[in-house]
Short mmCIF file of all heavy atoms in Angstrom, two decimals:
data_model
loop_
_atom_site.label_atom_id
_atom_site.label_comp_id
_atom_site.label_asym_id
_atom_site.label_seq_id
_atom_site.Cartn_x
_atom_site.Cartn_y
_atom_site.Cartn_z
N ALA A 60 -7.13 -10.71 -9.35
CA ALA A 60 -7.71 -9.48 -9.89
C ALA A 60 -7.16 -8.26 -9.16
O ALA A 60 -6.87 -7.23 -9.78
CB ALA A 60 -9.23 -9.52 -9.77
N ALA A 61 -7.00 -8.38 -7.84
CA ALA A 61 -6.44 -7.27 -7.06
C ALA A 61 -5.00 -6.97 -7.49
O ALA A 61 -4.59 -5.80 -7.57
CB ALA A 61 -6.48 -7.59 -5.57
N SER A 62 -4.24 -8.02 -7.78
CA SER A 62 -2.86 -7.82 -8.24
C SER A 62 -2.82 -7.14 -9.60
O SER A 62 -1.95 -6.31 -9.88
CB SER A 62 -2.12 -9.17 -8.31
OG SER A 62 -1.93 -9.72 -7.03
N ILE A 63 -3.80 -7.47 -10.46
CA ILE A 63 -3.88 -6.81 -11.77
C ILE A 63 -4.22 -5.34 -11.59
O ILE A 63 -3.65 -4.46 -12.26
CB ILE A 63 -4.93 -7.51 -12.65
CG1 ILE A 63 -4.45 -8.92 -13.03
CG2 ILE A 63 -5.22 -6.70 -13.92
CD1 ILE A 63 -5.49 -9.76 -13.74
N ILE A 64 -5.14 -5.04 -10.66
CA ILE A 64 -5.48 -3.64 -10.37
C ILE A 64 -4.26 -2.90 -9.85
O ILE A 64 -3.99 -1.75 -10.25
CB ILE A 64 -6.62 -3.58 -9.33
CG1 ILE A 64 -7.94 -4.07 -9.96
CG2 ILE A 64 -6.81 -2.16 -8.80
CD1 ILE A 64 -9.08 -4.19 -8.97
N THR A 65 -3.50 -3.55 -8.97
CA THR A 65 -2.29 -2.92 -8.41
C THR A 65 -1.28 -2.64 -9.52
O THR A 65 -0.68 -1.57 -9.57
CB THR A 65 -1.67 -3.84 -7.34
OG1 THR A 65 -2.64 -4.10 -6.32
CG2 THR A 65 -0.45 -3.18 -6.71
N TRP A 66 -1.08 -3.62 -10.40
CA TRP A 66 -0.15 -3.43 -11.52
C TRP A 66 -0.59 -2.27 -12.40
O TRP A 66 0.22 -1.43 -12.81
CB TRP A 66 -0.08 -4.72 -12.34
CG TRP A 66 0.71 -4.56 -13.62
CD1 TRP A 66 2.06 -4.54 -13.75
CD2 TRP A 66 0.16 -4.36 -14.92
NE1 TRP A 66 2.40 -4.35 -15.08
CE2 TRP A 66 1.26 -4.23 -15.82
CE3 TRP A 66 -1.13 -4.28 -15.43
CZ2 TRP A 66 1.08 -4.04 -17.18
CZ3 TRP A 66 -1.30 -4.09 -16.79
CH2 TRP A 66 -0.21 -3.97 -17.64
N ALA A 67 -1.90 -2.21 -12.70
CA ALA A 67 -2.43 -1.12 -13.53
C ALA A 67 -2.23 0.23 -12.83
O ALA A 67 -1.91 1.23 -13.48
CB ALA A 67 -3.91 -1.34 -13.82
N GLY A 68 -2.40 0.23 -11.50
CA GLY A 68 -2.21 1.48 -10.76
C GLY A 68 -0.78 1.98 -10.85
O GLY A 68 -0.55 3.18 -11.07
N PHE A 69 0.19 1.09 -10.70
CA PHE A 69 1.59 1.50 -10.82
C PHE A 69 1.91 1.96 -12.24
O PHE A 69 2.68 2.91 -12.44
CB PHE A 69 2.52 0.36 -10.42
CG PHE A 69 2.72 0.22 -8.94
CD1 PHE A 69 2.10 -0.79 -8.23
CD2 PHE A 69 3.51 1.12 -8.25
CE1 PHE A 69 2.28 -0.91 -6.87
CE2 PHE A 69 3.70 1.02 -6.89
CZ PHE A 69 3.07 0.00 -6.19
N LYS A 70 1.33 1.28 -13.23
CA LYS A 70 1.58 1.65 -14.63
C LYS A 70 1.03 3.05 -14.92
O LYS A 70 1.70 3.88 -15.55
CB LYS A 70 0.94 0.62 -15.56
CG LYS A 70 1.27 0.84 -17.03
CD LYS A 70 0.73 -0.29 -17.88
CE LYS A 70 1.05 -0.09 -19.36
NZ LYS A 70 2.48 -0.10 -19.63
N MET A 71 -0.20 3.31 -14.47
CA MET A 71 -0.81 4.63 -14.69
C MET A 71 -0.07 5.71 -13.89
O MET A 71 0.11 6.83 -14.39
CB MET A 71 -2.27 4.58 -14.28
CG MET A 71 -3.14 3.69 -15.15
SD MET A 71 -3.29 4.28 -16.85
CE MET A 71 -4.27 5.75 -16.60
N ALA A 72 0.36 5.37 -12.67
CA ALA A 72 1.05 6.36 -11.83
C ALA A 72 2.39 6.77 -12.44
O ALA A 72 2.88 7.87 -12.17
CB ALA A 72 1.26 5.79 -10.43
N ALA A 73 2.98 5.89 -13.26
CA ALA A 73 4.29 6.17 -13.85
C ALA A 73 4.20 7.09 -15.06
O ALA A 73 5.23 7.55 -15.57
CB ALA A 73 4.98 4.87 -14.24
N LYS A 74 2.98 7.38 -15.53
CA LYS A 74 2.83 8.27 -16.69
C LYS A 74 3.37 9.66 -16.37
O LYS A 74 3.23 10.17 -15.25
CB LYS A 74 1.37 8.37 -17.09
CG LYS A 74 0.78 7.11 -17.71
CD LYS A 74 -0.70 7.24 -17.96
CE LYS A 74 -1.01 8.38 -18.93
NZ LYS A 74 -2.47 8.48 -19.20
N LYS A 75 3.99 10.26 -17.36
CA LYS A 75 4.57 11.59 -17.15
C LYS A 75 3.47 12.65 -17.06
O LYS A 75 2.35 12.45 -17.53
CB LYS A 75 5.52 11.93 -18.30
CG LYS A 75 6.76 11.04 -18.33
CD LYS A 75 7.70 11.45 -19.45
CE LYS A 75 8.94 10.57 -19.46
NZ LYS A 75 9.87 10.95 -20.55
N ALA A 76 3.82 13.76 -16.45
CA ALA A 76 2.87 14.87 -16.34
C ALA A 76 2.49 15.37 -17.73
O ALA A 76 3.28 15.30 -18.67
CB ALA A 76 3.51 16.00 -15.53
N ASP A 77 1.26 15.85 -17.86
CA ASP A 77 0.80 16.41 -19.12
C ASP A 77 0.01 17.69 -18.84
O ASP A 77 -0.07 18.14 -17.69
CB ASP A 77 -0.03 15.39 -19.91
CG ASP A 77 -1.17 14.80 -19.07
OD1 ASP A 77 -1.74 15.54 -18.26
OD2 ASP A 77 -1.48 13.61 -19.24
N ALA A 78 -0.57 18.25 -19.89
CA ALA A 78 -1.29 19.52 -19.73
C ALA A 78 -2.47 19.39 -18.77
O ALA A 78 -2.75 20.31 -18.00
CB ALA A 78 -1.77 20.02 -21.10
N GLU A 79 -3.16 18.26 -18.81
CA GLU A 79 -4.32 18.06 -17.94
C GLU A 79 -3.92 17.70 -16.52
O GLU A 79 -4.66 17.95 -15.57
CB GLU A 79 -5.23 16.95 -18.50
CG GLU A 79 -5.97 17.32 -19.77
CD GLU A 79 -5.08 17.24 -21.00
OE1 GLU A 79 -4.04 16.53 -20.94
OE2 GLU A 79 -5.39 17.89 -22.02
N HIS A 80 -2.73 17.09 -16.36
CA HIS A 80 -2.26 16.66 -15.03
C HIS A 80 -0.82 17.14 -14.86
O HIS A 80 0.13 16.35 -14.97
CB HIS A 80 -2.34 15.14 -14.90
CG HIS A 80 -3.70 14.59 -15.20
ND1 HIS A 80 -4.06 14.19 -16.48
CD2 HIS A 80 -4.78 14.39 -14.41
CE1 HIS A 80 -5.31 13.75 -16.44
NE2 HIS A 80 -5.78 13.88 -15.21
N PRO A 81 -0.63 18.44 -14.60
CA PRO A 81 0.72 19.01 -14.54
C PRO A 81 1.58 18.46 -13.41
O PRO A 81 2.80 18.61 -13.44
CB PRO A 81 0.46 20.51 -14.36
CG PRO A 81 -0.91 20.59 -13.78
CD PRO A 81 -1.67 19.45 -14.37
N PHE A 82 0.96 17.84 -12.40
CA PHE A 82 1.73 17.29 -11.29
C PHE A 82 1.85 15.77 -11.36
O PHE A 82 2.17 15.12 -10.37
CB PHE A 82 1.10 17.71 -9.95
CG PHE A 82 1.09 19.20 -9.75
CD1 PHE A 82 -0.09 19.92 -9.91
CD2 PHE A 82 2.25 19.90 -9.44
CE1 PHE A 82 -0.12 21.29 -9.74
CE2 PHE A 82 2.23 21.27 -9.27
CZ PHE A 82 1.05 21.97 -9.42
N GLY A 83 1.59 15.21 -12.53
CA GLY A 83 1.74 13.78 -12.71
C GLY A 83 0.48 13.00 -12.39
O GLY A 83 -0.59 13.56 -12.14
N HIS A 84 0.62 11.67 -12.39
CA HIS A 84 -0.52 10.77 -12.21
C HIS A 84 -0.33 9.85 -11.00
O HIS A 84 -0.87 8.75 -10.94
CB HIS A 84 -0.71 9.91 -13.47
CG HIS A 84 -0.96 10.71 -14.71
ND1 HIS A 84 0.05 11.38 -15.39
CD2 HIS A 84 -2.10 10.96 -15.40
CE1 HIS A 84 -0.46 11.99 -16.45
NE2 HIS A 84 -1.76 11.76 -16.48
N GLY A 85 0.45 10.30 -10.02
CA GLY A 85 0.80 9.46 -8.88
C GLY A 85 -0.37 8.97 -8.06
O GLY A 85 -0.30 7.90 -7.44
N ARG A 86 -1.47 9.70 -8.07
CA ARG A 86 -2.61 9.28 -7.24
C ARG A 86 -3.33 8.05 -7.78
O ARG A 86 -4.18 7.49 -7.10
CB ARG A 86 -3.60 10.45 -7.09
CG ARG A 86 -3.07 11.53 -6.14
CD ARG A 86 -4.00 12.68 -6.00
NE ARG A 86 -3.48 13.68 -5.08
CZ ARG A 86 -3.95 14.92 -4.95
NH1 ARG A 86 -4.95 15.32 -5.72
NH2 ARG A 86 -3.42 15.76 -4.09
N TYR A 87 -2.98 7.64 -9.00
CA TYR A 87 -3.54 6.37 -9.49
C TYR A 87 -3.12 5.22 -8.58
O TYR A 87 -3.84 4.22 -8.46
CB TYR A 87 -3.06 6.09 -10.92
CG TYR A 87 -3.92 6.75 -11.99
CD1 TYR A 87 -3.41 7.75 -12.80
CD2 TYR A 87 -5.24 6.35 -12.18
CE1 TYR A 87 -4.19 8.35 -13.77
CE2 TYR A 87 -6.02 6.94 -13.16
CZ TYR A 87 -5.50 7.95 -13.94
OH TYR A 87 -6.28 8.54 -14.90
N GLU A 88 -1.96 5.35 -7.95
CA GLU A 88 -1.52 4.30 -7.03
C GLU A 88 -2.45 4.22 -5.82
O GLU A 88 -2.76 3.13 -5.33
CB GLU A 88 -0.08 4.56 -6.58
CG GLU A 88 0.52 3.39 -5.82
CD GLU A 88 1.96 3.61 -5.43
OE1 GLU A 88 2.70 4.26 -6.19
OE2 GLU A 88 2.34 3.13 -4.35
N TYR A 89 -2.91 5.38 -5.35
CA TYR A 89 -3.89 5.38 -4.26
C TYR A 89 -5.20 4.73 -4.71
O TYR A 89 -5.83 3.99 -3.95
CB TYR A 89 -4.17 6.81 -3.79
CG TYR A 89 -3.00 7.51 -3.15
CD1 TYR A 89 -2.92 8.90 -3.11
CD2 TYR A 89 -1.96 6.80 -2.57
CE1 TYR A 89 -1.86 9.56 -2.52
CE2 TYR A 89 -0.88 7.44 -1.98
CZ TYR A 89 -0.84 8.82 -1.95
OH TYR A 89 0.22 9.46 -1.36
N LEU A 90 -5.61 5.02 -5.96
CA LEU A 90 -6.83 4.42 -6.48
C LEU A 90 -6.70 2.90 -6.57
O LEU A 90 -7.66 2.17 -6.30
CB LEU A 90 -7.15 4.99 -7.87
CG LEU A 90 -7.72 6.42 -7.90
CD1 LEU A 90 -7.80 6.92 -9.33
CD2 LEU A 90 -9.09 6.47 -7.25
N ALA A 91 -5.51 2.43 -6.94
CA ALA A 91 -5.27 0.98 -7.00
C ALA A 91 -5.41 0.37 -5.61
O ALA A 91 -6.00 -0.71 -5.44
CB ALA A 91 -3.89 0.69 -7.57
N GLY A 92 -4.87 1.06 -4.60
CA GLY A 92 -5.00 0.58 -3.23
C GLY A 92 -6.45 0.53 -2.80
O GLY A 92 -6.89 -0.42 -2.13
N LEU A 93 -7.23 1.54 -3.21
CA LEU A 93 -8.65 1.56 -2.88
C LEU A 93 -9.38 0.40 -3.56
O LEU A 93 -10.22 -0.28 -2.95
CB LEU A 93 -9.26 2.90 -3.30
CG LEU A 93 -10.77 3.07 -3.06
CD1 LEU A 93 -11.10 2.94 -1.58
CD2 LEU A 93 -11.24 4.42 -3.60
N GLY A 94 -9.05 0.17 -4.84
CA GLY A 94 -9.68 -0.93 -5.56
C GLY A 94 -9.38 -2.28 -4.92
O GLY A 94 -10.27 -3.12 -4.77
N ALA A 95 -8.12 -2.48 -4.52
CA ALA A 95 -7.75 -3.74 -3.87
C ALA A 95 -8.46 -3.89 -2.53
O ALA A 95 -8.91 -4.99 -2.17
CB ALA A 95 -6.23 -3.80 -3.68
N ALA A 96 -8.60 -2.78 -1.79
CA ALA A 96 -9.28 -2.83 -0.49
C ALA A 96 -10.76 -3.17 -0.66
O ALA A 96 -11.33 -3.94 0.13
CB ALA A 96 -9.12 -1.48 0.23
N VAL A 97 -11.40 -2.59 -1.68
CA VAL A 97 -12.81 -2.89 -1.93
C VAL A 97 -12.97 -4.37 -2.30
O VAL A 97 -13.92 -5.04 -1.86
CB VAL A 97 -13.37 -1.99 -3.05
CG1 VAL A 97 -14.74 -2.48 -3.50
CG2 VAL A 97 -13.45 -0.54 -2.57
N LEU A 98 -12.04 -4.90 -3.10
CA LEU A 98 -12.09 -6.32 -3.45
C LEU A 98 -11.97 -7.20 -2.22
O LEU A 98 -12.62 -8.25 -2.12
CB LEU A 98 -10.99 -6.66 -4.45
CG LEU A 98 -11.33 -6.53 -5.93
CD1 LEU A 98 -10.15 -6.93 -6.78
CD2 LEU A 98 -12.54 -7.38 -6.28
N ILE A 99 -11.13 -6.79 -1.27
CA ILE A 99 -10.99 -7.54 -0.02
C ILE A 99 -12.35 -7.64 0.68
O ILE A 99 -12.75 -8.71 1.15
CB ILE A 99 -9.96 -6.87 0.91
CG1 ILE A 99 -8.54 -7.03 0.34
CG2 ILE A 99 -10.03 -7.46 2.32
CD1 ILE A 99 -7.48 -6.28 1.12
N MET A 100 -13.07 -6.51 0.74
CA MET A 100 -14.38 -6.51 1.39
C MET A 100 -15.39 -7.39 0.63
O MET A 100 -16.18 -8.11 1.24
CB MET A 100 -14.91 -5.08 1.50
CG MET A 100 -14.09 -4.20 2.43
SD MET A 100 -14.86 -2.60 2.71
CE MET A 100 -16.34 -3.07 3.59
N VAL A 101 -15.34 -7.32 -0.70
CA VAL A 101 -16.25 -8.15 -1.51
C VAL A 101 -15.99 -9.63 -1.24
O VAL A 101 -16.93 -10.43 -1.07
CB VAL A 101 -16.07 -7.83 -3.01
CG1 VAL A 101 -16.80 -8.86 -3.87
CG2 VAL A 101 -16.56 -6.42 -3.33
N VAL A 102 -14.70 -9.99 -1.20
CA VAL A 102 -14.34 -11.39 -0.92
C VAL A 102 -14.85 -11.79 0.46
O VAL A 102 -15.38 -12.90 0.64
CB VAL A 102 -12.80 -11.56 -1.00
CG1 VAL A 102 -12.39 -12.89 -0.39
CG2 VAL A 102 -12.35 -11.50 -2.45
N GLY A 103 -14.71 -10.91 1.45
CA GLY A 103 -15.19 -11.21 2.80
C GLY A 103 -16.68 -11.47 2.83
O GLY A 103 -17.16 -12.42 3.46
N VAL A 104 -17.45 -10.63 2.14
CA VAL A 104 -18.91 -10.79 2.10
C VAL A 104 -19.28 -12.10 1.41
O VAL A 104 -20.16 -12.85 1.88
CB VAL A 104 -19.56 -9.59 1.38
CG1 VAL A 104 -21.04 -9.84 1.14
CG2 VAL A 104 -19.37 -8.31 2.20
N GLU A 105 -18.62 -12.40 0.28
CA GLU A 105 -18.92 -13.64 -0.45
C GLU A 105 -18.55 -14.86 0.38
O GLU A 105 -19.27 -15.88 0.37
CB GLU A 105 -18.17 -13.65 -1.78
CG GLU A 105 -18.77 -12.74 -2.83
CD GLU A 105 -20.21 -13.11 -3.14
OE1 GLU A 105 -20.46 -14.29 -3.48
OE2 GLU A 105 -21.09 -12.24 -3.00
N LEU A 106 -17.42 -14.78 1.10
CA LEU A 106 -17.00 -15.89 1.94
C LEU A 106 -18.01 -16.12 3.07
O LEU A 106 -18.34 -17.26 3.42
CB LEU A 106 -15.61 -15.63 2.51
CG LEU A 106 -14.93 -16.76 3.27
CD1 LEU A 106 -14.80 -18.00 2.40
CD2 LEU A 106 -13.55 -16.33 3.76
N ALA A 107 -18.53 -15.01 3.64
CA ALA A 107 -19.54 -15.12 4.70
C ALA A 107 -20.82 -15.76 4.14
O ALA A 107 -21.43 -16.61 4.80
CB ALA A 107 -19.85 -13.73 5.26
#
Side-chain angles (χ1 to χ4, degrees):
S62 293
I63 292 172
I64 290 173
T65 303
W66 172 78
F69 278 105
K70 186 174 180 63
M71 294 294 291
K74 289 175 61 179
K75 294 182 179 180
D77 52 36
E79 290 78 22
H80 306 91
F82 298 104
H84 300 77
R86 286 179 179 166
Y87 275 114
E88 190 177 325
Y89 294 157
L90 285 172
L93 178 60
V97 169
L98 270 182
I99 290 174
M100 294 188 66
V101 169
V102 166
V104 171
E105 285 300 306
L106 187 58

